[in-house]
Amino acid sequence: MVNILDHAATFAQPCMSQKKLDEGNLIPYFSLEKECKQDQNEIYNAIKEVVVKILPTQRDKTALIIGTSLIDWNIVNAINAGAYEEKTPYRSLKRSIDSYAKDLALELGLNEFTMTINTACTSSANAILEARNIINAGFVEYAIVVGIEIFSPVMSSGFYSMGLLSQTLPKPFSKDRDGLVLGEGVGAMLLGKHASSWELLGGFSNCNSATIASVSEEGDECVEVMENALQVCSLQPKDITAIKAHATGSLANDEAEMNALKKVFKEEPLITTLKPYIGHTIGASGVLELIFLIECINGGYLPKTLNCSDSIGYKPIQEDTACSRGVFMCNFFGFGGNNISLLLGKTV
Amino acid sequence: MKSVVLNICSASKIYDQTRIDDLEEKRLVPNMMLRRRLTRNAKVMLYLSDKCGFQNGKVVYGSCFGELEETVKIADSIAFKTTLSPTAFQNSVYNTASSYFSLINSDTDEILTISNGMKTSLDALKIAALQSLVHGEKVLCVAVECLNIKNIEQINKCANFLEAGAAVVVEIASDEKDAHEIKSVKFKGIIDSLQALLNVVDMYENGITKIRIEL
C-alpha cells in the first residue's frame, strides 16, 4: 500500500494573463504570481521551494523523481546566447534537466536514486506511478514526486503553430471549445507507506496512439488505460466516485476522451476537469491536478467544471458537489501516445 | 540501495562520427509517409531494437539531448522569424522516438522516456531493471544521442561521434552466479550519457550475459 503523505504546490494565478510569443502573437496563459524565468537557478529554486516543505525525516531513504516536459536548457541557453544565430562562442553549462533532481538530492541529503521522466503531458503522472513501483519494490521508503512546468516560448509557439491554443478560455468538453490554455506551476508530493487518508491505489500506463500527436477519435487507447487501471486495482466502474478527466479543451482529444468515458462508464459518472482553474501545465499536470483535487476533497467538495454549459457527451458537474471520500480516477493523455490512468482512494 | 542481477538477452550498438549510413529504414518502416517523418533518434532506436529482436513489451528509452535536430528547426524558426513547423514541434518532444517505435511495432505497452544528463543510459538501465523486477518481464533499454546539427562545433567540445546508440534486452536473473559488475571502459569520443550502456553491450559481445546493477 502506497499512500500520499504530504504535498505542496505553487499554482498559477486563477485569472488568466497573456504571454507574448516570439513571433509577436499574444496567447492567454495561466502565469505564476512570481515570474520564474527560463533560468537554471530560478527553476532549481522553484523546485526546492516546494520540496523542502514536504521533506520526511528519513531523507536518505527518500528518492526524488521529477516529471516535466521542459526542454534541455543547454539548448535554450545556447539560443539565447546567440551562439546559433550569430556564431558567437558559447560555453555550455552542461546542465541537463535531470541536474535539478541530482543536485537537489545532494543538497538536501536525499537518496541518490533520482529520475526525470519526459513523457509530455503524462510526465509527472508517470513519475507518480514509478514512485509507487520503487516504494513497493522496497528500494526506498519514500519518494518525492515533483511536477514542474515554466512558461516556454518555444513550446507555446509549437502549440500555437499546430492551432491547438484557445484565444479565449479553456472550455473542456464544451461544444464551443476552441483549444487549450497553457499554464505554469510546480508541485511536489511525498509518497510512502505510512498511514494517510489518501492512498495511491494504482494505475496503468501505456504508449499507444493513432498518430504521433494524438489518440484515435474513438478513444480506444484511453479505454485501455482506464480499464486496465481498474483491473490492476480490482475495481469496477461502479466503484469510482468521480473522474478527474484530462480534458484539455482541444477539439480532437476531448472527443476521444469523452468517447472513451462512454465506453468504460455505461452510466454517467461524476466528472470534473481542472484545467480551467490552473491551465494545462503539460508535464506537471499529473502532480498539480492531483494536488488540486486532493485539496478540494479535503475541503469537502468536488470542484465544478468551468466554461462547459453544453457538453459533447457526459456533462461535467456544474456546481461544486459535496464529496469528502471515495475512489477517484485521474486521467492524463499525452503527446506521442503516452496515456495513464491513476486511481486514488480517500478515507475519512 | 539494493542491487539486482540481470540477464542480458540481446544487445546492440552503433555509432558514427557524422551520420550512421544504413539504418535499414526501408525494411523496418515500409510505409513511406511514416518513414519520412521519422527523426534521427527514432531511426536509430528502431534499428537497435530490431537488432535486439525486440518488438513488443516494456521499453525504457533514454536520451540526454533528445530530438536535437528537430529542436534546431524550431530554433531556426525563432532566429529567422519564419513560421514554426507543426511537424518539427511534434517531433521535438523527448518521447518522439519511443512514440514512433510504439506506432511502427504496434507496441502499446508501458514505454518510459527519461533524460538524466550524462548518466542517462545508466539510469535508463536501472529503471529497466526496476520494470523487469516489478512486472517480471523482459524490458528493452535503449539510449540514443544524435548531435549532428548545423553549427554543432560551436557548442560541442566532447563528442567525436555525433550519432550513437546502444540497446539491451534485460530480464531479472534467477540467481547471482557469474554476475559481473558493469565495466567502466571509456568509449573515447562518445558522449558520456551513453557510456554505461555501451559497456554493457560490449560485455555481451564478449560473452558476458549476466550483470549486477546497483539501484
Side-chain angles (χ1 to χ4, degrees):
Chain A
M1 179 188 287
V2 173
N3 296 322
I4 299 167
L5 307 178
D6 204 354
H7 60 264
T10 309
F11 290 106
Q13 297 175 94
C15 295
M16 288 188 301
S17 59
Q18 285 193 315
K19 290 284 188 186
K20 191 174 187 180
L21 303 181
D22 287 306
E23 58 268 39
N25 298 306
L26 288 169
I27 57 166
Y29 195 82
F30 285 91
S31 303
L32 290 169
E33 186 175 0
K34 181 186 167 195
E35 185 184 6
C36 183
K37 293 175 184 167
Q38 295 176 70
D39 172 275
Q40 293 180 349
N41 290 330
E42 290 215 13
I43 291 169
Y44 182 83
N45 288 332
I47 296 171
K48 185 179 167 184
E49 197 172 291
V50 291
V51 169
V52 295
K53 290 178 182 170
I54 60 168
L55 279 177
T57 50
Q58 293 176 294
R59 295 186 185 190
D60 61 328
K61 294 179 179 174
T62 306
L64 180 62
I65 305 179
I66 294 178
T68 183
S69 69
L70 287 173
I71 63 169
D72 200 301
W73 296 98
N74 284 327
I75 307 305
V76 173
N77 287 341
I79 293 165
N80 286 345
Y84 184 73
E85 188 180 4
E86 296 169 8
K87 297 189 179 179
T88 52
Y90 171 73
R91 186 173 178 81
S92 168
L93 296 173
K94 290 189 175 64
R95 195 169 192 179
S96 78
I97 48 175
D98 188 58
S99 304
Y100 304 118
K102 292 207 185 302
D103 291 355
L104 204 54
L106 193 64
E107 182 184 339
L108 299 177
L110 302 176
N111 192 284
E112 64 182 24
F113 186 92
T114 67
M115 196 193 303
T116 301
I117 293 180
N118 316 81
T119 51
C121 309
T122 60
S123 298
S124 61
N126 271 320
I128 291 168
L129 199 55
E130 290 312 309
R132 185 175 183 272
N133 282 341
I134 62 168
I135 293 168
N136 270 337
F139 293 122
V140 288
E141 298 278 324
Y142 306 94
I144 293 173
V145 183
V146 173
I148 180 164
E149 212 64 56
I150 301 300
F151 174 68
S152 158
V154 172
M155 186 190 297
S156 299
S157 294
F159 278 110
Y160 188 87
S161 75
M162 293 180 72
L164 290 175
L165 296 186
S166 168
Q167 285 303 310
T168 56
L169 297 163
K171 291 173 271 192
F173 292 143
S174 179
K175 283 181 181 170
D176 65 346
R177 69 196 184 283
D178 62 350
L180 51 96
V181 175
L182 299 172
E184 57 188 353
V186 55
M189 300 172 76
L190 176 66
L191 305 182
K193 291 194 168 185
H194 286 301
S196 165
S197 58
W198 280 97
E199 182 184 354
L200 177 58
L201 299 169
F204 192 84
S205 169
N206 75 2
C207 187
N208 187 6
S209 65
T211 71
I212 195 69
S214 63
V215 296
S216 65
E217 187 180 333
E218 295 76 26
D220 290 338
E221 302 85 351
C222 311
V223 170
E224 186 192 346
V225 289
M226 284 190 259
E227 289 187 339
N228 278 291
L230 288 167
Q231 190 184 347
V232 297
C233 297
S234 303
L235 293 169
Q236 303 288 325
K238 64 178 173 54
D239 299 321
I240 299 300
T241 309
I243 297 159
K244 193 293 300 168
H246 186 57
T248 60
S250 75
L251 293 175
N253 284 355
D254 276 17
E255 188 80 38
E257 185 174 8
M258 184 54 76
N259 287 335
L261 287 168
K262 287 183 197 166
K263 288 177 184 175
V264 177
F265 295 90
K266 303 302 180 197
E267 292 182 20
E268 185 159 358
L270 282 179
I271 298 173
T272 187
T273 74
L274 303 179
K275 290 178 176 65
Y277 293 96
I278 59 173
H280 187 2
T281 53
I282 313 293
S285 62
V287 164
L288 287 173
E289 293 189 14
L290 254 55
I291 291 174
F292 194 100
L293 181 70
I294 286 169
E295 284 288 327
C296 291
I297 301 299
N298 286 346
Y301 71 100
L302 192 66
K304 65 185 177 186
T305 292
L306 306 175
N307 314 328
C308 177
S309 53
D310 193 5
S311 173
I312 56 173
Y314 290 154
K315 194 168 186 178
I317 56 171
Q318 296 298 294
E319 297 296 334
D320 291 345
T321 304
C323 181
S324 56
R325 61 188 291 184
V327 177
F328 303 92
M329 173 180 275
C330 299
N331 291 334
F332 304 92
F333 305 120
F335 241 56
N338 277 104
N339 311 304
I340 182 168
S341 188
L342 295 172
L343 293 178
L344 276 65
K346 165 75 166 36
T347 53
V348 175
Chain B
M1 294 299 277
K2 291 184 178 179
S3 67
V4 294
V5 176
L6 297 171
N7 288 328
I8 309 170
C9 307
S10 54
S12 182
K13 66 180 190 289
I14 191 165
Y15 45 84
D16 193 275
Q17 288 192 331
T18 53
R19 189 179 175 89
I20 300 164
D21 271 341
D22 185 11
L23 291 168
E24 303 180 24
E25 300 104 303
K26 285 187 179 175
R27 177 178 67 81
L28 294 171
V29 191
N31 181 324
M32 186 180 70
M33 291 302 287
L34 188 54
R35 192 168 65 240
R36 280 183 171 179
R37 287 177 175 266
L38 296 176
T39 62
R40 289 301 292 174
N41 288 45
K43 288 176 182 175
V44 176
M45 181 184 181
L46 285 163
Y47 175 87
L48 291 170
S49 57
D50 178 70
K51 292 296 171 198
C52 287
F54 188 96
Q55 289 186 319
N56 261 278
K58 296 191 188 307
V59 179
V60 179
Y61 166 74
S63 181
C64 173
F65 288 99
E67 299 290 347
L68 209 49
E69 193 173 30
E70 303 301 319
T71 308
V72 164
K73 287 177 187 171
I74 296 173
D76 256 340
S77 299
I78 293 170
F80 303 115
K81 302 198 186 315
T82 57
T83 306
L84 198 152
S85 154
T87 305
F89 178 62
Q90 287 173 30
N91 279 349
S92 70
V93 294
Y94 270 90
N95 55 324
T96 296
S98 49
S99 297
Y100 277 118
F101 172 87
S102 164
L103 271 176
I104 288 158
N105 290 313
S106 300
D107 184 356
T108 62
D109 214 318
E110 185 172 4
I111 300 180
L112 284 177
T113 300
I114 68 155
S115 181
N116 285 16
M118 292 306 155
K119 287 191 171 179
T120 290
S121 70
L122 178 62
D123 287 351
L125 193 60
K126 287 180 181 180
I127 295 164
L130 182 66
Q131 290 283 54
S132 186
L133 186 70
V134 169
H135 300 286
E137 299 171 20
K138 289 182 180 177
V139 176
L140 171 69
C141 175
V142 54
V144 178
E145 304 293 352
C146 294
L147 311 173
N148 191 6
I149 57 171
K150 191 171 67 174
N151 299 338
I152 184 65
E153 66 280 1
Q154 291 179 38
I155 49 177
N156 172 37
K157 305 292 180 203
C158 56
N160 296 326
F161 293 88
L162 297 178
E163 288 196 341
V168 293
V169 176
V170 295
E171 64 179 2
I172 297 295
S174 56
D175 59 63
E176 297 193 1
K177 191 183 173 194
D178 299 329
H180 290 68
E181 302 297 327
I182 298 174
K183 290 181 179 173
S184 55
V185 178
K186 177 84 175 173
F187 283 76
K188 204 173 174 186
I190 295 184
I191 190 164
D192 283 354
S193 63
L194 298 176
Q195 292 289 335
L197 208 51
L198 284 169
N199 267 287
V200 176
V201 176
D202 196 55
M203 289 166 72
Y204 178 80
E205 289 171 348
N206 285 290
I208 296 170
T209 57
K210 198 183 276 186
I211 57 167
R212 179 180 291 104
I213 184 165
E214 296 286 332
L215 294 178

